[in-house]
Amino acid sequence: MTEVRVTHIGGPTTLVEFAGWRVLTDPTFDPPGRTYQFGWGTSSRKLTGPSIAPADLGPIDAVLLTHDHHGDNLDDAGRVLLSGVGTVLTTVPGARRLGGNATGLAPWATTRLVLDGRPTIEVTATPCRHGPPLSRPIVGDVIGFALSWSGQRHGLFWVSGDTVLYGGVRQVAQRLDIGTALVHLGGVRFPLTGPLRYSMTGREAVELCQAIQAHTVIPVHYEGWQHFQQPHAKLARELDAAPDDVRRSVRWLPVGVASDITV
């Protein structure tokens, strides 16, 4: 049996530790209060700061960066952190923008993370669509990550990335055996675009959970910013009303506290 220690630092940012590996997702470490521009007239103010400062993180072996062009997934302090990391995996356009230690992956491409004395991690990039149909030229490319290593009992460790529920995400359930899922939620909307949503709602999360049938589902990236329309309380109501198998799989992590997850 393998255990992974997951610390939800805030927003999409988590520290994932296992078998000597220390992997960080979507580094966001700026203090609250600033308004960030997301393009095409959309913006959002950061309401909550990180629970752990970058100086207190310790060494990071790799960063899984779902996308680099939105401040709620990579902010200024997060960019500074990237330079001290061995490997950054992100989208193909994102790797071109970042340069240096960044490697770009297209959906369904694979790569390996290798360090002496640690199990090799096979990483598969998974599809995302960060908005309604035909929005990709506006919102940009996003990917998720499915991680496989020896000793996993329940299936792969998956980071969904910022996405709505659509055919590409449903392919994950069809093609991969997911054991643990970090699912980006929040039901993002902007006043400028009215009812259009840019990330999953609680109802979509229930449908996704039924499809992937993961052993453990960990909601992340659902509050701490002005543009989230479904913070914890709203999401919890919808997930608590889900069928028993879904409800049992959902695990809310206390922010800033390391939690052990059986994978």
Side-chain angles (χ1 to χ4, degrees), residues 31-51:
R34 175 179 162 190
T35 296
Y36 295 72
Q37 303 298 319
F38 293 151
W40 295 83
T42 61
S43 64
S44 183
R45 184 163 57 92
K46 188 172 185 178
L47 305 176
T48 306
S51 61

PDB file of all heavy atoms in Angstrom, residues 31-51:
ATOM      1  N   PRO A  31       0.596  37.581  -1.994  1.00  0.00           N
ATOM      2  CA  PRO A  31      -0.358  37.942  -0.940  1.00  0.00           C
ATOM      3  C   PRO A  31      -1.696  38.363  -1.542  1.00  0.00           C
ATOM      4  O   PRO A  31      -1.781  38.657  -2.744  1.00  0.00           O
ATOM      5  CB  PRO A  31       0.325  39.122  -0.247  1.00  0.00           C
ATOM      6  CG  PRO A  31       1.219  39.712  -1.291  1.00  0.00           C
ATOM      7  CD  PRO A  31       1.683  38.553  -2.138  1.00  0.00           C
ATOM      8  N   PRO A  32      -2.758  38.387  -0.734  1.00  0.00           N
ATOM      9  CA  PRO A  32      -4.070  38.798  -1.261  1.00  0.00           C
ATOM     10  C   PRO A  32      -4.153  40.302  -1.484  1.00  0.00           C
ATOM     11  O   PRO A  32      -3.296  41.061  -1.041  1.00  0.00           O
ATOM     12  CB  PRO A  32      -5.033  38.354  -0.149  1.00  0.00           C
ATOM     13  CG  PRO A  32      -4.205  38.402   1.094  1.00  0.00           C
ATOM     14  CD  PRO A  32      -2.821  37.995   0.675  1.00  0.00           C
ATOM     15  N   GLY A  33      -5.211  40.704  -2.193  1.00  0.00           N
ATOM     16  CA  GLY A  33      -5.510  42.124  -2.367  1.00  0.00           C
ATOM     17  C   GLY A  33      -5.341  42.660  -3.767  1.00  0.00           C
ATOM     18  O   GLY A  33      -5.942  43.676  -4.124  1.00  0.00           O
ATOM     19  N   ARG A  34      -4.552  42.006  -4.583  1.00  0.00           N
ATOM     20  CA  ARG A  34      -4.275  42.507  -5.936  1.00  0.00           C
ATOM     21  C   ARG A  34      -5.330  42.003  -6.918  1.00  0.00           C
ATOM     22  O   ARG A  34      -5.867  40.907  -6.781  1.00  0.00           O
ATOM     23  CB  ARG A  34      -2.893  42.028  -6.360  1.00  0.00           C
ATOM     24  CG  ARG A  34      -2.511  42.365  -7.791  1.00  0.00           C
ATOM     25  CD  ARG A  34      -1.105  41.857  -8.066  1.00  0.00           C
ATOM     26  NE  ARG A  34      -0.824  41.747  -9.493  1.00  0.00           N
ATOM     27  CZ  ARG A  34       0.258  41.160  -9.994  1.00  0.00           C
ATOM     28  NH1 ARG A  34       1.169  40.636  -9.184  1.00  0.00           N
ATOM     29  NH2 ARG A  34       0.434  41.090 -11.298  1.00  0.00           N
ATOM     30  N   THR A  35      -5.604  42.810  -7.944  1.00  0.00           N
ATOM     31  CA  THR A  35      -6.473  42.405  -9.044  1.00  0.00           C
ATOM     32  C   THR A  35      -5.607  41.990 -10.236  1.00  0.00           C
ATOM     33  O   THR A  35      -4.683  42.710 -10.623  1.00  0.00           O
ATOM     34  CB  THR A  35      -7.418  43.533  -9.457  1.00  0.00           C
ATOM     35  OG1 THR A  35      -8.299  43.820  -8.365  1.00  0.00           O
ATOM     36  CG2 THR A  35      -8.255  43.150 -10.673  1.00  0.00           C
ATOM     37  N   TYR A  36      -5.923  40.825 -10.801  1.00  0.00           N
ATOM     38  CA  TYR A  36      -5.157  40.262 -11.919  1.00  0.00           C
ATOM     39  C   TYR A  36      -6.011  40.290 -13.175  1.00  0.00           C
ATOM     40  O   TYR A  36      -7.193  39.948 -13.143  1.00  0.00           O
ATOM     41  CB  TYR A  36      -4.752  38.817 -11.615  1.00  0.00           C
ATOM     42  CG  TYR A  36      -3.805  38.669 -10.451  1.00  0.00           C
ATOM     43  CD1 TYR A  36      -4.241  38.865  -9.151  1.00  0.00           C
ATOM     44  CD2 TYR A  36      -2.472  38.333 -10.656  1.00  0.00           C
ATOM     45  CE1 TYR A  36      -3.373  38.728  -8.076  1.00  0.00           C
ATOM     46  CE2 TYR A  36      -1.588  38.187  -9.590  1.00  0.00           C
ATOM     47  CZ  TYR A  36      -2.053  38.389  -8.308  1.00  0.00           C
ATOM     48  OH  TYR A  36      -1.199  38.253  -7.246  1.00  0.00           O
ATOM     49  N   GLN A  37      -5.398  40.662 -14.286  1.00  0.00           N
ATOM     50  CA  GLN A  37      -6.078  40.674 -15.573  1.00  0.00           C
ATOM     51  C   GLN A  37      -5.937  39.304 -16.231  1.00  0.00           C
ATOM     52  O   GLN A  37      -4.834  38.759 -16.311  1.00  0.00           O
ATOM     53  CB  GLN A  37      -5.492  41.764 -16.478  1.00  0.00           C
ATOM     54  CG  GLN A  37      -5.542  43.158 -15.884  1.00  0.00           C
ATOM     55  CD  GLN A  37      -6.952  43.637 -15.616  1.00  0.00           C
ATOM     56  OE1 GLN A  37      -7.865  43.414 -16.426  1.00  0.00           O
ATOM     57  NE2 GLN A  37      -7.151  44.280 -14.468  1.00  0.00           N
ATOM     58  N   PHE A  38      -7.059  38.762 -16.707  1.00  0.00           N
ATOM     59  CA  PHE A  38      -7.050  37.458 -17.360  1.00  0.00           C
ATOM     60  C   PHE A  38      -7.220  37.561 -18.880  1.00  0.00           C
ATOM     61  O   PHE A  38      -7.276  36.549 -19.566  1.00  0.00           O
ATOM     62  CB  PHE A  38      -8.162  36.573 -16.787  1.00  0.00           C
ATOM     63  CG  PHE A  38      -7.941  36.186 -15.357  1.00  0.00           C
ATOM     64  CD1 PHE A  38      -9.019  35.949 -14.530  1.00  0.00           C
ATOM     65  CD2 PHE A  38      -6.662  36.049 -14.844  1.00  0.00           C
ATOM     66  CE1 PHE A  38      -8.816  35.582 -13.201  1.00  0.00           C
ATOM     67  CE2 PHE A  38      -6.449  35.684 -13.524  1.00  0.00           C
ATOM     68  CZ  PHE A  38      -7.534  35.449 -12.697  1.00  0.00           C
ATOM     69  N   GLY A  39      -7.327  38.769 -19.401  1.00  0.00           N
ATOM     70  CA  GLY A  39      -7.458  38.954 -20.838  1.00  0.00           C
ATOM     71  C   GLY A  39      -8.893  39.148 -21.274  1.00  0.00           C
ATOM     72  O   GLY A  39      -9.837  38.732 -20.600  1.00  0.00           O
ATOM     73  N   TRP A  40      -9.072  39.833 -22.416  1.00  0.00           N
ATOM     74  CA  TRP A  40     -10.373  40.058 -23.017  1.00  0.00           C
ATOM     75  C   TRP A  40     -11.346  40.718 -22.036  1.00  0.00           C
ATOM     76  O   TRP A  40     -12.539  40.415 -22.006  1.00  0.00           O
ATOM     77  CB  TRP A  40     -10.963  38.761 -23.567  1.00  0.00           C
ATOM     78  CG  TRP A  40     -10.164  38.196 -24.705  1.00  0.00           C
ATOM     79  CD1 TRP A  40      -9.040  37.419 -24.612  1.00  0.00           C
ATOM     80  CD2 TRP A  40     -10.375  38.402 -26.100  1.00  0.00           C
ATOM     81  NE1 TRP A  40      -8.564  37.105 -25.855  1.00  0.00           N
ATOM     82  CE2 TRP A  40      -9.360  37.699 -26.797  1.00  0.00           C
ATOM     83  CE3 TRP A  40     -11.341  39.092 -26.838  1.00  0.00           C
ATOM     84  CZ2 TRP A  40      -9.272  37.690 -28.186  1.00  0.00           C
ATOM     85  CZ3 TRP A  40     -11.258  39.077 -28.219  1.00  0.00           C
ATOM     86  CH2 TRP A  40     -10.231  38.386 -28.886  1.00  0.00           C
ATOM     87  N   GLY A  41     -10.819  41.630 -21.212  1.00  0.00           N
ATOM     88  CA  GLY A  41     -11.661  42.399 -20.309  1.00  0.00           C
ATOM     89  C   GLY A  41     -12.040  41.700 -19.019  1.00  0.00           C
ATOM     90  O   GLY A  41     -12.813  42.252 -18.220  1.00  0.00           O
ATOM     91  N   THR A  42     -11.530  40.495 -18.765  1.00  0.00           N
ATOM     92  CA  THR A  42     -11.852  39.782 -17.541  1.00  0.00           C
ATOM     93  C   THR A  42     -10.741  39.975 -16.504  1.00  0.00           C
ATOM     94  O   THR A  42      -9.566  40.124 -16.855  1.00  0.00           O
ATOM     95  CB  THR A  42     -12.040  38.280 -17.789  1.00  0.00           C
ATOM     96  OG1 THR A  42     -10.821  37.734 -18.301  1.00  0.00           O
ATOM     97  CG2 THR A  42     -13.169  38.049 -18.786  1.00  0.00           C
ATOM     98  N   SER A  43     -11.129  39.974 -15.236  1.00  0.00           N
ATOM     99  CA  SER A  43     -10.155  40.143 -14.164  1.00  0.00           C
ATOM    100  C   SER A  43     -10.734  39.568 -12.880  1.00  0.00           C
ATOM    101  O   SER A  43     -11.927  39.260 -12.792  1.00  0.00           O
ATOM    102  CB  SER A  43      -9.813  41.628 -13.963  1.00  0.00           C
ATOM    103  OG  SER A  43     -10.957  42.349 -13.533  1.00  0.00           O
ATOM    104  N   SER A  44      -9.881  39.453 -11.872  1.00  0.00           N
ATOM    105  CA  SER A  44     -10.337  38.954 -10.574  1.00  0.00           C
ATOM    106  C   SER A  44      -9.367  39.424  -9.500  1.00  0.00           C
ATOM    107  O   SER A  44      -8.162  39.575  -9.751  1.00  0.00           O
ATOM    108  CB  SER A  44     -10.426  37.430 -10.564  1.00  0.00           C
ATOM    109  OG  SER A  44     -10.925  36.962  -9.322  1.00  0.00           O
ATOM    110  N   ARG A  45      -9.899  39.619  -8.301  1.00  0.00           N
ATOM    111  CA  ARG A  45      -9.078  40.018  -7.160  1.00  0.00           C
ATOM    112  C   ARG A  45      -8.797  38.808  -6.277  1.00  0.00           C
ATOM    113  O   ARG A  45      -9.696  38.015  -5.993  1.00  0.00           O
ATOM    114  CB  ARG A  45      -9.793  41.108  -6.362  1.00  0.00           C
ATOM    115  CG  ARG A  45      -8.965  41.662  -5.196  1.00  0.00           C
ATOM    116  CD  ARG A  45      -9.536  42.992  -4.719  1.00  0.00           C
ATOM    117  NE  ARG A  45     -10.916  42.848  -4.329  1.00  0.00           N
ATOM    118  CZ  ARG A  45     -11.312  42.583  -3.081  1.00  0.00           C
ATOM    119  NH1 ARG A  45     -10.409  42.392  -2.128  1.00  0.00           N
ATOM    120  NH2 ARG A  45     -12.592  42.483  -2.791  1.00  0.00           N
ATOM    121  N   LYS A  46      -7.559  38.703  -5.852  1.00  0.00           N
ATOM    122  CA  LYS A  46      -7.177  37.615  -4.940  1.00  0.00           C
ATOM    123  C   LYS A  46      -7.609  37.977  -3.523  1.00  0.00           C
ATOM    124  O   LYS A  46      -7.268  39.054  -3.014  1.00  0.00           O
ATOM    125  CB  LYS A  46      -5.669  37.366  -4.999  1.00  0.00           C
ATOM    126  CG  LYS A  46      -5.236  36.137  -4.220  1.00  0.00           C
ATOM    127  CD  LYS A  46      -3.762  35.809  -4.447  1.00  0.00           C
ATOM    128  CE  LYS A  46      -3.400  34.496  -3.756  1.00  0.00           C
ATOM    129  NZ  LYS A  46      -1.993  34.117  -3.994  1.00  0.00           N
ATOM    130  N   LEU A  47      -8.345  37.088  -2.885  1.00  0.00           N
ATOM    131  CA  LEU A  47      -8.937  37.352  -1.577  1.00  0.00           C
ATOM    132  C   LEU A  47      -8.174  36.709  -0.430  1.00  0.00           C
ATOM    133  O   LEU A  47      -8.267  37.166   0.713  1.00  0.00           O
ATOM    134  CB  LEU A  47     -10.390  36.851  -1.557  1.00  0.00           C
ATOM    135  CG  LEU A  47     -11.302  37.387  -2.656  1.00  0.00           C
ATOM    136  CD1 LEU A  47     -12.672  36.717  -2.569  1.00  0.00           C
ATOM    137  CD2 LEU A  47     -11.425  38.900  -2.570  1.00  0.00           C
ATOM    138  N   THR A  48      -7.450  35.625  -0.703  1.00  0.00           N
ATOM    139  CA  THR A  48      -6.801  34.842   0.346  1.00  0.00           C
ATOM    140  C   THR A  48      -5.376  34.515  -0.060  1.00  0.00           C
ATOM    141  O   THR A  48      -5.127  34.125  -1.198  1.00  0.00           O
ATOM    142  CB  THR A  48      -7.566  33.524   0.595  1.00  0.00           C
ATOM    143  OG1 THR A  48      -8.930  33.812   0.862  1.00  0.00           O
ATOM    144  CG2 THR A  48      -6.973  32.777   1.778  1.00  0.00           C
ATOM    145  N   GLY A  49      -4.455  34.659   0.875  1.00  0.00           N
ATOM    146  CA  GLY A  49      -3.059  34.336   0.604  1.00  0.00           C
ATOM    147  C   GLY A  49      -2.752  32.871   0.843  1.00  0.00           C
ATOM    148  O   GLY A  49      -3.592  32.111   1.343  1.00  0.00           O
ATOM    149  N   PRO A  50      -1.530  32.430   0.507  1.00  0.00           N
ATOM    150  CA  PRO A  50      -1.159  31.033   0.688  1.00  0.00           C
ATOM    151  C   PRO A  50      -0.999  30.681   2.164  1.00  0.00           C
ATOM    152  O   PRO A  50      -0.662  31.538   2.986  1.00  0.00           O
ATOM    153  CB  PRO A  50       0.174  30.932  -0.051  1.00  0.00           C
ATOM    154  CG  PRO A  50       0.754  32.310   0.059  1.00  0.00           C
ATOM    155  CD  PRO A  50      -0.420  33.249  -0.025  1.00  0.00           C
ATOM    156  N   SER A  51      -1.221  29.431   2.500  1.00  0.00           N
ATOM    157  CA  SER A  51      -1.071  28.986   3.888  1.00  0.00           C
ATOM    158  C   SER A  51       0.378  28.701   4.245  1.00  0.00           C
ATOM    159  O   SER A  51       0.719  28.580   5.424  1.00  0.00           O
ATOM    160  CB  SER A  51      -1.917  27.730   4.124  1.00  0.00           C
ATOM    161  OG  SER A  51      -1.494  26.677   3.268  1.00  0.00           O
TER     162      SER A  51
END
